[in-house]
């Protein structure tokens, strides 16, 4: 009977040992798992943080470049508008100058026309005057001739009378 009891005790002792060993093993496994999870989490967090930093850096870099470009673009647009305004003003000035020169030209043309008309009128008047003078001179000549004829007749008559008296 006591033999059976000893075996039982031995088996129980072994069971306790096995349980202890298993428990220790389980504890070790838990610790290892916890530690490895911790490092994994740290690694993941580190990677994520690094990626986030890189993203932020990239964003800043490019947003700065974009900002600069947009500002330059804005300036370019302003300059273009100013140039357009200048060109428009120049065009308006040119138009004014053209209009003024057209006015001057048409006035000059009017003056030339008036002067030509005056010239024609003056020529016509001169012709009329010359005609009148000529007619006047002819009339004077006719009168003179008539007077001369009268004188000659008178003189011949006087001569005839004188010769008749002599005889």
């Amino acid at each position: 009977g006591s033999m059976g009891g000893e075996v039982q005790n031995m088996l129980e002792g072994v069971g306790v040992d096995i349980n202890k060993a298993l428990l220790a093993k389980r504890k070790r496994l838990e610790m290892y798992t916890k530690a490895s999870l911790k490092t994994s989490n740290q690694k993941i967090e580190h990677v994520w943080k690094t990626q986030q930093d890189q993203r932020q850096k990239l964003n800043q870099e490019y947003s700065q470049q974009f900002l600069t470009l947009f500002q330059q673009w804005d300036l370019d647009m302003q300059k273009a508008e100013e140039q357009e305004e200048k060109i428009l003003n120049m065009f308006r000035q040119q138009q004014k100058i053209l209009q003024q020169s057209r006015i001057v030209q048409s006035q000059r043309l009017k003056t030339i026309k008036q002067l030509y008309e005056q010239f024609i009128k003056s020529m016509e008047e001169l012709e009329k005057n010359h005609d009148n003078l000529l007619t006047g001179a002819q009339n004077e000549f006719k009168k003179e001739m008539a007077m001369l004829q009268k004188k000659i007749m008178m003189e011949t008559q006087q001569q005839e009378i004188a010769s008749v008296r002599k005889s």
Side-chain angles (χ1 to χ4, degrees), residues 80 105 126 132:
Q105 280 175 1
L126 197 67
N132 288 345

Side-chain angles (χ1 to χ4, degrees), residues 3-159:
M3 183 77 174
E6 266 176 51
V7 169
Q8 180 120 19
N9 281 347
M10 217 171 77
L11 278 175
E12 277 174 9
V14 168
V16 166
D17 281 349
I18 286 171
N19 276 343
K20 266 186 196 167
L22 277 174
L23 200 71
K25 219 178 194 174
R26 211 174 85 197
K27 275 208 168 132
R28 268 203 313 277
L29 199 68
E30 264 179 33
M31 270 171 63
Y32 175 72
T33 304
K34 267 185 191 167
S36 109
L37 269 176
K38 199 176 178 187
T39 38
S40 284
N41 275 343
Q42 280 175 342
K43 273 182 190 166
I44 287 168
E45 260 178 52
H46 179 70
V47 166
W48 190 77
K49 188 140 180 40
T50 306
Q51 284 178 347
Q52 207 182 20
D53 286 349
Q54 285 174 345
R55 273 197 214 100
Q56 221 168 359
K57 227 186 202 171
L58 206 68
N59 269 344
Q60 279 172 345
E61 230 176 86
Y62 277 93
S63 64
Q64 191 49 53
Q65 286 183 42
F66 274 119
L67 197 67
T68 307
L69 275 175
F70 277 127
Q71 284 169 344
Q72 285 171 342
W73 193 44
D74 246 6
L75 279 175
D76 290 343
M77 290 294 281
Q78 279 177 4
K79 272 185 198 164
E81 277 171 23
E82 282 167 21
Q83 283 301 107
E84 206 176 318
E85 192 57 39
K86 271 186 198 165
I87 289 168
L88 267 175
N89 282 336
M90 274 165 57
F91 180 68
R92 286 191 201 109
Q93 280 176 333
Q94 290 296 318
Q95 258 187 330
K96 263 185 201 165
I97 290 167
L98 272 177
Q99 281 174 342
Q100 282 168 347
S101 85
R102 273 201 204 104
I103 289 167
V104 167
Q105 280 175 1
S106 73
Q107 280 175 344
R108 194 90 65 225
L109 209 62
K110 232 186 240 171
T111 309
I112 290 170
K113 211 173 143 192
Q114 283 172 348
L115 193 68
Y116 179 70
E117 283 167 4
Q118 275 177 350
F119 169 69
I120 294 291
K121 226 188 235 173
S122 299
M123 283 293 281
E124 283 171 356
E125 276 173 24
L126 197 67
E127 288 287 311
K128 233 188 263 174
N129 283 349
H130 283 187
D131 281 351
N132 288 345
L133 279 173
L134 205 63
T135 309
Q138 282 173 340
N139 288 342
E140 283 291 310
F141 184 67
K142 278 180 189 168
K143 268 186 204 167
E144 289 282 326
M145 288 300 285
M147 289 277 287
L148 204 64
Q149 266 179 331
K150 253 188 198 170
K151 263 188 188 169
I152 290 169
M153 275 178 65
M154 294 271 288
E155 272 178 30
T156 40
Q157 271 180 353
Q158 278 173 353
Q159 275 175 354

